[in-house]
Amino acid sequence: MKKIAVIMGSDSDLPVVGKAIDTVKSFGVECEAHVFSAHRTPAEAKAFAESAEENGFGVIIAAAGMAAHLAGAIAASTTLPVIGIPVRGGMLDGLDALLSTVQMPPGIPVATVGVDGAVNAGLLAVEILAVSEPELKEKLKAKRAADKAKVLAKDAALEEKLAAMRG
């Protein structure tokens, strides 16, 4: 099975990015995490992206705040799917990161989740791999069923509480 790479622009992004790593690992998918900066280590970021496919990766998640060029820089150097996580912070509280990640020029797509949306980034990465991995598809279906059951249990508990309040 292909691996998922998680690249962050700074180790200060780990509290957010850790949720993507945990999500990916919960499906039994191997995940590697690295710190590369689009601006401070551009050669290393490029080298990682260029060799990612031959190194067994199927998807790359890239998280960065502020100018947030990391996902785009990674995507420019690979044809693997890249998922960007804009990280909250700075003067614009993540809006700058969101716009920098989502507004890619034609020809270099980056799938982008919401600000600090690491869980969805991890799930999307797993869904991409699940296209060719039936066991992952079944695990995703099981997760959706479990999530549904939790919501329905909360609904039933609410109905019970409201009925008791009505007397």
Side-chain angles (χ1 to χ4, degrees):
M1 181 181 311
K2 301 264 185 198
K3 303 181 286 186
I4 295 173
V6 177
I7 310 300
M8 61 198 98
S10 168
D11 63 348
S12 66
D13 298 329
L14 187 57
V16 170
V17 173
K19 295 173 185 168
I21 295 167
D22 292 344
T23 299
V24 167
K25 287 184 174 183
S26 75
F27 286 90
V29 177
E30 188 178 343
C31 183
E32 276 187 29
H34 299 278
V35 175
F36 294 120
S37 168
H39 303 104
R40 292 171 295 230
T41 61
E44 291 80 359
K46 180 179 173 77
F48 181 87
E50 288 177 338
S51 64
E53 189 169 8
E54 70 189 49
N55 287 327
F57 294 98
V59 182
I60 300 172
I61 298 171
M66 302 179 82
H69 296 293
L70 183 59
I74 295 290
S77 297
T78 185
T79 57
L80 290 177
V82 175
I83 302 165
I85 305 172
V87 177
R88 184 176 315 280
M91 289 177 29
L92 298 179
D93 204 29
L95 179 60
D96 50 347
L98 174 63
L99 294 175
S100 294
T101 306
V102 77
Q103 292 294 106
M104 291 299 298
I108 308 294
V110 170
T112 306
V113 296
V115 175
D116 289 351
V119 170
N120 276 349
L123 287 170
L124 181 55
V126 171
E127 287 176 348
I128 290 168
L129 293 184
V131 169
S132 61
E133 296 287 344
E135 76 179 58
L136 280 181
K137 187 174 287 194
E138 291 307 312
K139 288 179 180 180
L140 283 163
K141 287 179 182 179
K143 183 195 180 328
R144 293 267 178 109
D147 289 349
K148 176 182 176 179
K150 286 179 190 173
V151 171
L152 293 176
K154 288 179 182 183
D155 179 60
L158 176 63
E159 289 297 320
E160 225 175 87
K161 184 176 183 176
L162 293 175
M165 290 171 61
R166 286 181 279 227

